[in-house]
Amino acid sequence: MVAVLSQGPALISLTFRSALDLFKNHANIAVDTETNALDVRDGTGRANGISISTRVPALGVVSYYFSIHHRALGPYPDVNLEADELFELKQAIENYKGHLIFHNAKFDLESLRTIGIKYTGKFYDTMLMAHIINENMPMAKSLDACAAYYLKEEGKRKGDIWEMLMALYGWDGMPAQVMAEYAEYDANMTYRLWEILIKMFTKENLLDYWDNHKAKFLRVVVAMERRGIFTDETLCKRMTAHGQIIMEECKELLGGYNPGSPKDLKHLLIETLGLPIVKPTKGTAKLPKEQWKPSFDKEAMELYERILETRFPGDDRAQLILTYRGWQKAVSSCYIPYVEKRSWDGKLRCNYKLHGTKTGRMSCENPNLQQIPRSGKKPWNGEMKKAFLPTPGYTLFEADYSQLELRLGTAYAGEEALKTVFNNGEDIFNIMKGPLGLERQDTKTFVYTTQYGGGITRLTQVFGWSPSQAERYRDKYFEAYPGFRAKAKVASLRVKHSGQVKLWSGRARHFMFRDTENHKAWNSVIQGGAADIVERTMLRLFEQVDDDEKCRMLLQVHDSVVFELRNDVIEEYTAKIKEVMENVEPDFGVRFAVDIHKFGEG
């Protein structure tokens, strides 16, 4: 293949041997893999080639493409590596002593495995580095988006020949000589992007955080995704059919109005039930409130559903809306994808995104397993966890942190009385309802609404209180637990001053609009800090408990971890899991309780 300089039209030729020597003589090399476009985790996908890039003194950034499984096509002869050359490349990568640099290492590490290359050394991931440095911009963390933001240049190169051959032969049929320029340019951009980000990492003292935690945790996620989890096709199809019948009945009972339609939701929620506009559409957000048009996006609907549950428990219309939307989400986001997105082996392999949220929580897609509810008390989600099946001879167990964020917030706030409640294993909301004068469930809703940054307006929306009532309840809460207000104020002031707030783990949560978003600071400290606790714990579980034969970590859902335990070692390993998870490191001075139960029975 050809090595491409980062600047100017000049090209220089590299041989296989000189490209291989780069691994021996350079401390940091960008690596990008091109595949047959199938899933590299389930045995169907494979790497067709590997591009590398690094900076060479006096030459600039050079790139090279190793062709491995490309097809000869017309004027494009076979240039794939011979078996002995591939073995040399494998040895060079596996024995590499510096840092390899990927953009989406989770994908490339698995892609390398498909051609027998098991890289266990150090690496950087510019996609995650970009997210850690600035979770807000660029909004997408693709290589093209990061290149445009940091390098100020266009993304992937695809000429007319590329487009023609792609239309004719598809990704897997692309000849190496055409793929090379595209692939080399990706590696080239990745390397130059890393040169910028590594300086920012050094300035923010994030190098240890990366090497000693984030890179290691990424390998945990790689292992979980590779394993996958079986799903019950019969149950999923039965629940889908049942849900569709229920949804049609709900529409009929609502006079033909569809709770899945924004137009009909305006009639049902605003005009019929008299709910306020909790979020305006983008086009009307800057207008006076009386001119707002209601948004019914995901964020708005989460709030509307909370309002319906809190304020309209006995209203048939409200319950029909909740029932319809519950079944709609369960069917479209869960039961159908649990079947359609399975691999050939009957296993579901979701895509965990370590860069999917601003607070640092891991998100999930294809399908989103974070939508599995904590408890299955509703008809539409009562069977959801039963849709997952263990390997024969094993049982699925879930280890779930109890009130993780509230416990962390209590530790930060220094609320000694609440620490004692947690340490004694008492019901925290039964205790907290006393000063507030609310029922337990309303106390729980109030506490979490307030902790997540909800102000007077949000409290009036959720509970139907007047502003003065909401203010009285909030004053009672902070009078009883002043540490929460004090810490929230400090976090808010830090955001106003610096545009960011530091978490216990060493990373920061950044804010684009420090004067209008500072009220989110406390929630970011708690939610981000809790996410980092879960990550650190999962890493310790992987190192101390996980075993391919006896105990396999398969999923992370909310603040819980799902394991597959061999039936003859259940008692031994549930005890080990509980011990590791409850011994949170570092010690925050509050007990972190963990409940372990069969998945679907908790």
Side-chain angles (χ1 to χ4, degrees):
M1 295 296 101
V2 175
V4 182
L5 291 175
S6 61
Q7 296 177 346
L11 299 178
I12 62 171
S13 297
L14 283 183
T15 64
F16 166 79
R17 188 64 49 198
S18 60
L20 202 63
D21 285 344
L22 293 178
F23 276 104
K24 302 174 183 177
N25 300 319
H26 292 81
N28 300 287
I29 293 176
V31 174
D32 182 70
T33 60
E34 303 300 337
T35 71
N36 61 354
L38 298 177
D39 195 335
V40 295
R41 303 167 301 176
D42 68 3
T44 60
R46 71 175 186 191
N48 283 342
I50 302 171
S51 55
I52 64 171
S53 187
T54 193
R55 186 174 292 280
V56 176
L59 293 178
V61 179
V62 299
S63 305
Y64 186 83
Y65 187 64
F66 298 95
S67 177
I68 297 168
H69 284 304
H70 284 283
R71 304 172 189 170
L73 179 66
Y76 303 105
D78 182 356
V79 291
N80 289 332
L81 298 184
E82 299 293 338
D84 59 332
E85 291 176 322
L86 180 56
F87 179 76
E88 283 191 77
L89 177 61
K90 168 182 164 67
Q91 292 293 103
I93 294 176
E94 290 184 342
N95 295 319
Y96 185 64
K97 301 302 181 185
H99 279 79
L100 293 187
I101 305 162
F102 305 100
H103 192 88
N104 192 4
K106 190 159 65 74
F107 173 83
D108 288 309
L109 288 169
E110 281 295 272
S111 182
L112 290 173
R113 283 176 62 93
T114 66
I115 50 175
I117 299 175
K118 298 179 181 180
Y119 181 68
T120 59
K122 292 185 176 182
F123 66 90
Y124 292 111
D125 184 334
T126 50
M127 181 173 70
L128 295 187
M129 292 173 74
H131 180 70
I132 293 168
I133 285 294
N134 186 347
E135 61 273 37
N136 303 296
M137 297 296 292
M139 287 187 286
K141 296 298 187 292
S142 66
L143 184 55
D144 283 358
C146 288
Y149 187 78
Y150 288 103
L151 303 177
K152 311 300 181 187
E153 65 181 59
E154 65 182 29
K156 299 176 176 66
R157 295 180 175 179
K158 299 175 182 178
D160 292 340
I161 294 178
W162 169 282
E163 299 294 350
M164 179 186 69
L165 292 175
M166 178 63 70
L168 288 172
Y169 301 106
W171 191 273
D172 191 31
M174 193 67 65
Q177 294 87 339
V178 178
M179 180 67 78
E181 183 178 6
Y182 168 94
E184 289 173 352
Y185 194 61
D186 271 7
N188 181 293
M189 285 195 299
T190 299
Y191 186 85
R192 290 183 291 122
L193 177 61
W194 170 80
E195 288 183 312
I196 293 173
L197 294 174
I198 196 66
K199 292 177 182 177
M200 302 171 79
F201 254 50
T202 302
K203 183 178 179 180
E204 292 202 17
N205 299 313
L206 288 166
L207 295 178
D208 285 344
Y209 168 78
W210 177 266
D211 277 337
N212 296 322
H213 169 62
K214 204 68 177 184
K216 292 180 179 179
F217 179 67
L218 187 145
R219 289 190 181 277
V220 175
V221 179
V222 167
M224 288 198 308
E225 288 190 13
R226 184 189 309 135
R227 287 167 173 166
I229 188 168
F230 290 109
T231 59
D232 187 331
E233 180 177 1
T234 300
L235 183 147
C236 289
K237 289 184 175 180
R238 173 169 56 82
M239 295 301 290
T240 296
H242 182 65
Q244 290 170 338
I245 292 171
I246 297 295
M247 286 189 283
E248 288 302 316
E249 291 176 349
C250 288
K251 285 195 294 185
E252 183 178 349
L253 291 171
L254 287 167
Y257 287 101
N258 179 2
S261 160
K263 178 183 176 182
D264 288 0
L265 279 171
K266 180 182 178 183
H267 171 81
L268 293 168
L269 298 177
I270 309 297
E271 297 170 5
T272 302
L273 292 175
L275 300 190
I277 297 176
V278 300
K279 182 180 180 181
T281 60
K282 287 185 178 180
T284 63
K286 294 183 179 180
L287 298 176
K289 283 191 175 183
E290 58 270 15
Q291 298 180 35
W292 279 3
K293 292 184 179 179
S295 169
F296 298 105
D297 64 8
K298 180 181 177 182
E299 181 184 15
M301 288 312 303
E302 286 177 353
L303 180 53
Y304 277 126
E305 287 167 13
R306 198 185 318 164
I307 292 172
L308 292 178
E309 289 177 348
T310 304
R311 293 169 53 185
F312 296 86
D315 189 294
D316 290 342
R317 297 162 302 176
Q319 297 311 306
L320 286 169
I321 294 169
L322 289 171
T323 298
Y324 180 95
R325 294 189 60 80
W327 277 109
Q328 182 187 44
K329 283 185 285 188
V331 168
S332 63
S333 300
C334 301
Y335 292 122
I336 290 177
Y338 291 173
V339 174
E340 292 183 347
K341 293 185 179 295
R342 291 186 304 174
S343 295
W344 61 272
D345 58 0
K347 287 187 173 184
L348 196 65
R349 292 177 173 87
C350 62
N351 177 36
Y352 280 113
K353 297 172 66 177
L354 279 69
H355 65 290
T357 67
K358 291 183 179 180
T359 59
R361 273 183 172 272
M362 191 160 65
S363 64
C364 184
E365 63 182 7
N366 295 322
N368 180 7
L369 297 185
Q370 298 288 4
Q371 291 184 335
I372 300 173
R374 288 185 180 278
S375 61
K377 296 179 180 178
K378 305 291 185 181
W380 50 86
N381 61 36
E383 303 292 314
M384 198 165 291
K385 290 181 179 179
K386 295 179 182 178
F388 298 91
L389 301 174
T391 302
Y394 291 76
T395 302
L396 294 178
F397 276 83
E398 178 180 28
D400 189 11
Y401 276 115
S402 172
Q403 300 149 342
L404 175 61
E405 293 177 12
L406 186 55
R407 291 170 192 263
L408 181 60
T410 296
Y412 275 141
E415 288 290 344
E416 297 301 325
L418 294 183
K419 285 185 186 180
T420 300
V421 173
F422 280 130
N423 293 340
N424 290 342
E426 299 175 69
D427 186 322
I428 190 70
F429 297 115
N430 270 339
I431 302 299
M432 297 182 81
K433 73 179 185 181
L436 289 173
L438 296 171
E439 294 299 318
R440 183 190 181 282
Q441 184 57 44
D442 285 343
T443 298
K444 182 178 180 179
T445 301
F446 177 91
V447 169
Y448 283 128
T449 300
T450 304
Q451 181 170 297
Y452 292 148
I456 296 299
T457 300
R458 184 57 52 88
L459 290 172
T460 62
Q461 292 169 343
V462 172
F463 290 98
W465 296 332
S466 67
S468 59
Q469 283 179 301
E471 193 165 358
R472 283 199 300 273
Y473 278 112
R474 194 176 67 165
D475 287 344
K476 285 183 181 181
Y477 177 68
F478 287 131
E479 285 171 10
Y481 312 110
F484 289 119
R485 171 178 268 170
K487 286 297 182 179
K489 187 174 183 179
V490 170
S492 175
L493 289 173
R494 284 176 177 165
V495 169
K496 276 191 172 184
H497 175 70
S498 65
Q500 66 177 40
V501 61
K502 283 281 188 180
L503 307 186
W504 69 266
S505 58
R507 68 180 179 92
R509 162 75 166 97
H510 308 85
F511 293 84
M512 291 180 64
F513 309 105
R514 60 180 69 181
D515 291 327
T516 57
E517 292 186 311
N518 59 293
H519 66 282
K520 300 177 182 178
W522 174 238
N523 175 50
S524 296
V525 169
I526 300 307
Q527 195 172 103
D532 287 347
I533 286 175
V534 173
E535 282 194 6
R536 300 291 175 115
T537 300
M538 288 177 67
L539 180 55
R540 289 190 295 117
L541 286 166
F542 193 71
E543 293 173 342
Q544 299 174 27
V545 181
D546 189 274
D547 182 301
D548 274 334
E549 293 300 320
K550 299 177 182 179
C551 172
R552 304 169 184 145
M553 194 186 308
L554 300 185
L555 300 175
Q556 187 236 58
V557 183
H558 308 298
D559 296 329
S560 69
V561 187
V562 179
F563 298 85
E564 187 175 67
L565 304 183
R566 203 172 69 192
N567 290 337
D568 62 332
V569 296
I570 287 175
E571 186 175 348
E572 173 189 357
Y573 274 87
T574 51
K576 287 182 178 180
I577 291 167
K578 186 177 179 68
E579 180 182 5
V580 170
M581 291 185 69
E582 291 192 338
N583 290 329
V584 169
E585 297 177 3
D587 183 0
F588 289 93
V590 66
R591 179 186 174 218
F592 290 95
V594 173
D595 175 47
I596 300 184
H597 49 265
K598 289 182 179 179
F599 194 47
E601 296 185 5

